[in-house]
Amino acid sequence: ASCDLSRPTLYRILASLEAEELVTKTSEGCYKPGIRLVGLARRALEEIEIRNLARPELESLRDRTGETVHLAIRSGDEMVYIDKIESLKVVRMASSIGARVALHSTSVGKSFLSALPTADFKSLINSLKLEKITNRTTITFQALEEQVKKYRRLGYVNDDQENETGISCFGAAILNEKLNPIGAVSISVPVYRVKTDHNFYTKPLQECVATISRATGAKIRY
């Protein structure tokens, strides 16, 4: 009565929700929230928490480098920007919160991949479509695996115009208490402005993600 739906329509909707484990039918014929909602709620809370935890560090990173900083989390086979601190310079990367970007062509995506346990990484990349976005995009699984091995050693990723021509990005993953990736931070720089010494970006970036990771419970040192 509250939904103003007919009985057949309502039960079709409930059947779909039940199939997705979003609701559960009780022995009395009523419906209650399903177990999958618990996972969704936990994920939503984690996203809110990581955004709140990361914000001061993102602002500090922008101030130290002078460039645009992004915070992203994984969503299926993509990463989603959930926060952004704009560069104060006139020329800067055009992007927006909520934008979805590929795992294989971005510094946030590759850093997330590089922080995954090997088995999880191999399972995930088998589902990816390595689409060519620019002339520099990584489009083979062999190349992506080799890059990930390199990035694991370095602790950061440099996407040099793989996702957007004219933009170079440096990224690193945020870890949880189990040392699994739960997000990533990137610095986006117009290529003409990239400094020769990449330590100018990577050192504060690694310090930033280490601080955020420790705040989530990860026992790591930078």
Side-chain angles (χ1 to χ4, degrees), residues 18 26 29 31-32 40 49 56 72 88 92 130 145 167 172 180 183 187 202-203 208 217-218:
E18 188 176 14
T26 67
Y31 288 85
K32 65 180 182 179
L40 292 174
E49 181 182 15
L88 299 179
R92 56 199 180 197
L130 306 186
E145 285 190 89
I167 298 292
N180 291 322
I187 306 168
T202 59
K203 188 174 187 298
C208 171

mmCIF file of all heavy atoms in Angstrom, residues 18 26 29 31-32 40 49 56 72 88 92 130 145 167 172 180 183 187 202-203 208 217-218:
data_model
loop_
_atom_site.group_PDB
_atom_site.id
_atom_site.type_symbol
_atom_site.label_atom_id
_atom_site.label_comp_id
_atom_site.label_asym_id
_atom_site.label_seq_id
_atom_site.Cartn_x
_atom_site.Cartn_y
_atom_site.Cartn_z
ATOM 1 N N GLU A 18 15.373 -11.031 -3.876
ATOM 2 C CA GLU A 18 15.691 -12.271 -3.173
ATOM 3 C C GLU A 18 16.769 -13.046 -3.925
ATOM 4 O O GLU A 18 17.678 -13.631 -3.306
ATOM 5 C CB GLU A 18 14.432 -13.128 -3.019
ATOM 6 C CG GLU A 18 14.636 -14.350 -2.141
ATOM 7 C CD GLU A 18 13.345 -15.124 -1.930
ATOM 8 O OE1 GLU A 18 12.367 -14.876 -2.670
ATOM 9 O OE2 GLU A 18 13.318 -15.977 -1.026
ATOM 10 N N THR A 26 10.969 -14.995 5.040
ATOM 11 C CA THR A 26 10.899 -15.724 6.307
ATOM 12 C C THR A 26 9.884 -16.862 6.206
ATOM 13 O O THR A 26 9.111 -16.952 5.242
ATOM 14 C CB THR A 26 10.480 -14.786 7.453
ATOM 15 O OG1 THR A 26 9.122 -14.375 7.238
ATOM 16 C CG2 THR A 26 11.393 -13.564 7.510
ATOM 17 N N GLY A 29 6.354 -15.935 5.609
ATOM 18 C CA GLY A 29 5.977 -15.332 4.342
ATOM 19 C C GLY A 29 6.270 -13.843 4.260
ATOM 20 O O GLY A 29 5.860 -13.181 3.310
ATOM 21 N N TYR A 31 9.241 -10.585 4.471
ATOM 22 C CA TYR A 31 10.582 -10.372 3.935
ATOM 23 C C TYR A 31 11.402 -9.516 4.898
ATOM 24 O O TYR A 31 10.872 -8.605 5.539
ATOM 25 C CB TYR A 31 10.522 -9.672 2.573
ATOM 26 C CG TYR A 31 10.011 -10.563 1.468
ATOM 27 C CD1 TYR A 31 8.641 -10.697 1.242
ATOM 28 C CD2 TYR A 31 10.884 -11.281 0.665
ATOM 29 C CE1 TYR A 31 8.156 -11.512 0.239
ATOM 30 C CE2 TYR A 31 10.413 -12.102 -0.347
ATOM 31 C CZ TYR A 31 9.057 -12.222 -0.558
ATOM 32 O OH TYR A 31 8.596 -13.041 -1.548
ATOM 33 N N LYS A 32 12.698 -9.834 4.982
ATOM 34 C CA LYS A 32 13.615 -9.055 5.815
ATOM 35 C C LYS A 32 14.895 -8.782 5.018
ATOM 36 O O LYS A 32 15.142 -9.457 4.004
ATOM 37 C CB LYS A 32 13.937 -9.802 7.101
ATOM 38 C CG LYS A 32 14.693 -11.098 6.888
ATOM 39 C CD LYS A 32 14.988 -11.789 8.214
ATOM 40 C CE LYS A 32 15.794 -13.066 8.008
ATOM 41 N NZ LYS A 32 16.097 -13.731 9.303
ATOM 42 N N LEU A 40 27.266 -4.744 1.474
ATOM 43 C CA LEU A 40 27.128 -3.449 0.821
ATOM 44 C C LEU A 40 27.265 -2.307 1.829
ATOM 45 O O LEU A 40 27.904 -1.283 1.552
ATOM 46 C CB LEU A 40 25.776 -3.359 0.101
ATOM 47 C CG LEU A 40 25.594 -4.262 -1.109
ATOM 48 C CD1 LEU A 40 24.159 -4.170 -1.623
ATOM 49 C CD2 LEU A 40 26.561 -3.880 -2.223
ATOM 50 N N GLU A 49 34.738 6.119 5.357
ATOM 51 C CA GLU A 49 35.820 6.196 6.323
ATOM 52 C C GLU A 49 37.135 6.552 5.646
ATOM 53 O O GLU A 49 37.864 7.423 6.116
ATOM 54 C CB GLU A 49 35.959 4.867 7.065
ATOM 55 C CG GLU A 49 37.068 4.891 8.111
ATOM 56 C CD GLU A 49 37.244 3.561 8.803
ATOM 57 O OE1 GLU A 49 36.718 2.545 8.298
ATOM 58 O OE2 GLU A 49 37.920 3.536 9.840
ATOM 59 N N PRO A 56 42.881 14.964 4.894
ATOM 60 C CA PRO A 56 43.989 15.838 5.307
ATOM 61 C C PRO A 56 45.300 15.498 4.604
ATOM 62 O O PRO A 56 46.076 16.399 4.249
ATOM 63 C CB PRO A 56 44.097 15.585 6.816
ATOM 64 C CG PRO A 56 42.775 15.039 7.219
ATOM 65 C CD PRO A 56 42.304 14.242 6.046
ATOM 66 N N ALA A 72 40.998 7.071 -5.153
ATOM 67 C CA ALA A 72 40.128 6.173 -5.910
ATOM 68 C C ALA A 72 39.975 4.842 -5.196
ATOM 69 O O ALA A 72 40.863 4.422 -4.442
ATOM 70 C CB ALA A 72 40.696 5.941 -7.311
ATOM 71 N N LEU A 88 46.215 24.290 -7.834
ATOM 72 C CA LEU A 88 45.885 25.715 -7.880
ATOM 73 C C LEU A 88 46.424 26.371 -9.147
ATOM 74 O O LEU A 88 46.201 27.568 -9.372
ATOM 75 C CB LEU A 88 46.458 26.417 -6.639
ATOM 76 C CG LEU A 88 45.921 25.899 -5.293
ATOM 77 C CD1 LEU A 88 46.586 26.642 -4.137
ATOM 78 C CD2 LEU A 88 44.411 26.035 -5.227
ATOM 79 N N ARG A 92 45.697 22.178 -15.536
ATOM 80 C CA ARG A 92 45.606 21.022 -14.651
ATOM 81 C C ARG A 92 44.720 19.965 -15.293
ATOM 82 O O ARG A 92 44.051 20.225 -16.299
ATOM 83 C CB ARG A 92 45.023 21.437 -13.295
ATOM 84 C CG ARG A 92 43.668 22.117 -13.392
ATOM 85 C CD ARG A 92 43.360 22.894 -12.129
ATOM 86 N NE ARG A 92 42.064 23.549 -12.220
ATOM 87 C CZ ARG A 92 41.673 24.534 -11.422
ATOM 88 N NH1 ARG A 92 42.492 24.979 -10.484
ATOM 89 N NH2 ARG A 92 40.487 25.075 -11.549
ATOM 90 N N LEU A 130 41.764 -5.127 -22.047
ATOM 91 C CA LEU A 130 42.858 -4.162 -22.118
ATOM 92 C C LEU A 130 42.678 -3.264 -23.342
ATOM 93 O O LEU A 130 43.382 -3.384 -24.351
ATOM 94 C CB LEU A 130 44.208 -4.889 -22.156
ATOM 95 C CG LEU A 130 44.459 -5.894 -21.023
ATOM 96 C CD1 LEU A 130 45.888 -6.420 -21.096
ATOM 97 C CD2 LEU A 130 44.191 -5.270 -19.669
ATOM 98 N N GLU A 145 51.685 -7.691 -16.542
ATOM 99 C CA GLU A 145 52.281 -8.492 -15.469
ATOM 100 C C GLU A 145 53.704 -8.043 -15.171
ATOM 101 O O GLU A 145 54.114 -7.946 -14.004
ATOM 102 C CB GLU A 145 52.272 -9.972 -15.852
ATOM 103 C CG GLU A 145 50.905 -10.619 -15.749
ATOM 104 C CD GLU A 145 50.971 -12.133 -15.891
ATOM 105 O OE1 GLU A 145 51.140 -12.809 -14.861
ATOM 106 O OE2 GLU A 145 50.878 -12.619 -17.027
ATOM 107 N N ILE A 167 49.095 13.955 -19.932
ATOM 108 C CA ILE A 167 49.050 13.861 -18.464
ATOM 109 C C ILE A 167 49.875 12.672 -17.986
ATOM 110 O O ILE A 167 49.710 11.548 -18.451
ATOM 111 C CB ILE A 167 47.606 13.704 -17.950
ATOM 112 C CG1 ILE A 167 46.761 14.929 -18.316
ATOM 113 C CG2 ILE A 167 47.603 13.485 -16.438
ATOM 114 C CD1 ILE A 167 47.160 16.208 -17.602
ATOM 115 N N ALA A 172 49.973 5.248 -5.887
ATOM 116 C CA ALA A 172 50.361 4.242 -4.894
ATOM 117 C C ALA A 172 49.116 3.773 -4.165
ATOM 118 O O ALA A 172 48.141 4.529 -4.024
ATOM 119 C CB ALA A 172 51.384 4.815 -3.913
ATOM 120 N N ASN A 180 46.021 -5.709 2.308
ATOM 121 C CA ASN A 180 45.374 -5.785 1.005
ATOM 122 C C ASN A 180 44.976 -4.389 0.560
ATOM 123 O O ASN A 180 44.642 -3.541 1.396
ATOM 124 C CB ASN A 180 44.134 -6.680 1.067
ATOM 125 C CG ASN A 180 44.477 -8.135 1.269
ATOM 126 O OD1 ASN A 180 45.466 -8.630 0.717
ATOM 127 N ND2 ASN A 180 43.689 -8.840 2.067
ATOM 128 N N GLY A 183 42.281 1.013 -1.805
ATOM 129 C CA GLY A 183 42.160 2.253 -2.560
ATOM 130 C C GLY A 183 43.520 2.655 -3.090
ATOM 131 O O GLY A 183 44.506 1.930 -2.942
ATOM 132 N N ILE A 187 48.841 11.436 -8.184
ATOM 133 C CA ILE A 187 49.188 12.833 -8.476
ATOM 134 C C ILE A 187 49.188 12.969 -9.987
ATOM 135 O O ILE A 187 49.872 12.205 -10.677
ATOM 136 C CB ILE A 187 50.581 13.189 -7.927
ATOM 137 C CG1 ILE A 187 50.683 12.874 -6.437
ATOM 138 C CG2 ILE A 187 50.902 14.652 -8.193
ATOM 139 C CD1 ILE A 187 52.106 12.941 -5.907
ATOM 140 N N THR A 202 57.100 11.053 -5.891
ATOM 141 C CA THR A 202 56.950 9.714 -5.315
ATOM 142 C C THR A 202 57.218 9.666 -3.815
ATOM 143 O O THR A 202 56.567 8.898 -3.103
ATOM 144 C CB THR A 202 57.866 8.712 -6.029
ATOM 145 O OG1 THR A 202 59.233 9.128 -5.906
ATOM 146 C CG2 THR A 202 57.507 8.626 -7.504
ATOM 147 N N LYS A 203 58.165 10.461 -3.334
ATOM 148 C CA LYS A 203 58.460 10.430 -1.905
ATOM 149 C C LYS A 203 57.266 10.907 -1.073
ATOM 150 O O LYS A 203 56.802 10.192 -0.173
ATOM 151 C CB LYS A 203 59.697 11.258 -1.586
ATOM 152 C CG LYS A 203 60.194 11.120 -0.147
ATOM 153 C CD LYS A 203 61.507 11.871 0.042
ATOM 154 C CE LYS A 203 62.097 11.593 1.428
ATOM 155 N NZ LYS A 203 61.203 12.049 2.513
ATOM 156 N N CYS A 208 52.288 9.736 2.009
ATOM 157 C CA CYS A 208 50.841 9.968 2.115
ATOM 158 C C CYS A 208 50.083 8.653 2.272
ATOM 159 O O CYS A 208 49.282 8.491 3.205
ATOM 160 C CB CYS A 208 50.361 10.711 0.869
ATOM 161 S SG CYS A 208 48.559 10.857 0.708
ATOM 162 N N GLY A 217 44.702 0.714 9.959
ATOM 163 C CA GLY A 217 45.102 -0.438 10.743
ATOM 164 C C GLY A 217 46.287 -1.204 10.202
ATOM 165 O O GLY A 217 46.724 -2.193 10.799
ATOM 166 N N ALA A 218 46.826 -0.766 9.050
ATOM 167 C CA ALA A 218 47.969 -1.472 8.473
ATOM 168 C C ALA A 218 49.232 -1.185 9.264
ATOM 169 O O ALA A 218 49.532 -0.029 9.565
ATOM 170 C CB ALA A 218 48.163 -1.047 7.023
#
